[in-house]
Amino acid sequence: MVLRSAAVTSYGGCTVVLFASESQSFFSRAGLSGFGFRWLHILFGVTWIGLLYFFNFVQVPAYAEFGDDAKARNLAIDKVTRRALWWFRWAALGTFLTGIIIVGLTKDYFDAGLKEAGNSAIVTGMLLGTIMLLNVWGVIWRNQKIVLANAANVLAGHPADPAAAAAARRGAMASRQNTLFSIAMVWFMVFKSHAPYSPFELSSGKFAAYWIIALVLIAVLELNALGLMPWKTEPKKGLNILYDSVQNVLIAGFGLWVIFLVLWEIIKP
C-alpha cells in the first residue's frame, strides 16, 4: 500500500501539486485492512455468491429435468450437491469473517457516523450479508443435511425419509431469498467507494425514513422466506410466488434494488 503526501508550489503562475509516496508493508494494519483482507473478502464472496447462483440458476432446474429418475437425482445430490454445499457454506463464513476483520482493522471505519451516506449504505449491505449468512447455516445447511442423508439412505436401499421434501422446500426458499437479497447486497458493498454521489450526510428525518423503509422491506422478505407469514411454505401462495421460478426471483431481486435506488435518489441532496 502507498500513502501519498502532497506539497503545493507555484510554477509559471500555475499551482502545481507534487505528490510524495511513502511505501507501507502489506502486513501493516493499513495494508491488511485496505488490501490483504479485502482481497480475501472478495475471493470468498465470489465463491459464495457464485455457488449460490449455481444452485438456483443451474442445479435446481437441471435436477427437475430428472423427472421420475429418482436414482439419478439422488446420485447427483449425493455426489455433486454435497461437495458444492461444503464450499458454499464455508465460503459464506469466510466472507463474513473477513468483512468483520476489515472493519476491525480499519482505523475510524465509521468515524463520520451512520448518518453519512456511505456508512449507512455499507451497513445496509452488511445487514443483508449477515442475514444471508444466517440463512446459509441456520436454514439452508440445516435442511439440506436432511436431504443429503435421505439421498444416501435411498441409494443404500433404505426407505425414503418423508421429511425430506419439506426440508428441501424450506432450504430452497431461503436459498432463493438469498439470491433475491444478493443483488442489492452487492450494490451496497460497492456504494461507499463507487456510487456517483458526492459524500453527504443524511438529515435526521431522512435517516429515520431510510432505515424504517429498509428494515421493513428486509424484515418482511426474510420472515416470508422463513415460512413465518400466514401462507407459510406453500408454493404459489402470498409472497411465496417470488420463489416459484428463477425469473420471479430475478424480477424480485432487481425490483428490491430499484426500490433502494429510487430511495437514495430521493434522499440525496
Side-chain angles (χ1 to χ4, degrees):
M1 186 175 181
V2 176
L3 298 180
R4 297 172 56 165
S5 57
V8 180
T9 187
S10 181
Y11 180 77
C14 298
T15 299
V16 180
V17 180
L18 302 176
F19 287 99
S21 297
E22 179 185 342
S23 295
Q24 194 167 74
S25 170
F26 174 85
F27 296 102
S28 67
R29 177 175 175 174
L32 288 173
S33 64
F35 180 51
F37 281 106
R38 196 173 300 275
W39 163 64
L40 287 175
H41 185 62
I42 294 169
L43 187 62
F44 280 123
V46 168
T47 305
W48 176 17
I49 302 303
L51 284 168
L52 175 69
Y53 291 167
F54 164 76
F55 287 135
N56 284 274
F57 302 155
V58 180
Q59 177 180 282
V60 171
Y63 283 13
E65 293 181 4
F66 282 119
D68 296 329
D69 193 348
K71 182 177 181 180
R73 184 167 54 252
N74 284 326
L75 276 170
I77 290 171
D78 190 48
K79 303 302 181 185
V80 178
T81 304
R82 186 183 300 278
R83 286 179 172 83
L85 281 169
W86 190 94
W87 289 100
F88 173 70
R89 65 183 186 273
W90 290 110
L93 184 60
T95 305
F96 177 79
L97 292 177
T98 50
I100 294 299
I101 291 170
I102 290 168
V103 173
L105 283 179
T106 303
K107 186 178 180 181
D108 300 325
Y109 193 87
F110 294 114
D111 61 323
L114 287 185
K115 287 186 178 180
E116 195 278 320
N119 286 343
S120 268
I122 195 69
V123 170
T124 309
M126 291 167 69
L127 174 62
L128 289 170
T130 301
I131 292 171
M132 290 168 64
L133 172 79
L134 294 174
N135 282 342
V136 169
W137 282 91
V139 184
I140 298 171
W141 174 233
R142 197 169 146 197
N143 284 284
Q144 283 297 325
K145 285 192 288 186
I146 298 172
V147 175
L148 293 173
N150 177 68
N153 286 336
V154 171
L155 290 171
H158 301 298
D161 182 354
R169 173 64 181 172
R170 289 191 296 270
M173 286 179 62
S175 181
R176 293 209 158 176
Q177 184 58 60
N178 275 9
T179 303
L180 193 161
F181 276 153
S182 70
I183 296 168
M185 185 271 290
V186 173
W187 187 71
F188 279 118
M189 287 303 178
V190 299
F191 185 107
K192 187 170 183 176
S193 299
H194 303 288
Y197 306 126
S198 299
F200 66 94
E201 186 171 301
L202 298 169
S203 66
S204 295
K206 288 183 176 181
F207 178 78
Y210 169 77
W211 277 106
I212 289 171
I213 294 170
L215 291 174
V216 168
L217 280 171
I218 294 168
V220 168
L221 289 168
E222 179 60 15
L223 289 172
N224 186 73
L226 296 176
L228 298 177
M229 300 298 268
W231 41 84
K232 300 189 184 298
T233 61
E234 292 184 54
K236 305 184 187 302
K237 298 286 186 179
L239 290 176
N240 289 347
I241 61 172
L242 302 179
Y243 317 127
D244 285 342
S245 67
V246 169
Q247 180 181 9
N248 286 8
V249 173
L250 288 173
I251 291 172
F254 280 101
L256 179 64
W257 167 71
V258 167
I259 291 172
F260 278 121
L261 175 62
V262 171
L263 184 57
W264 276 99
E265 287 292 318
I266 291 172
I267 64 177
K268 71 178 179 62

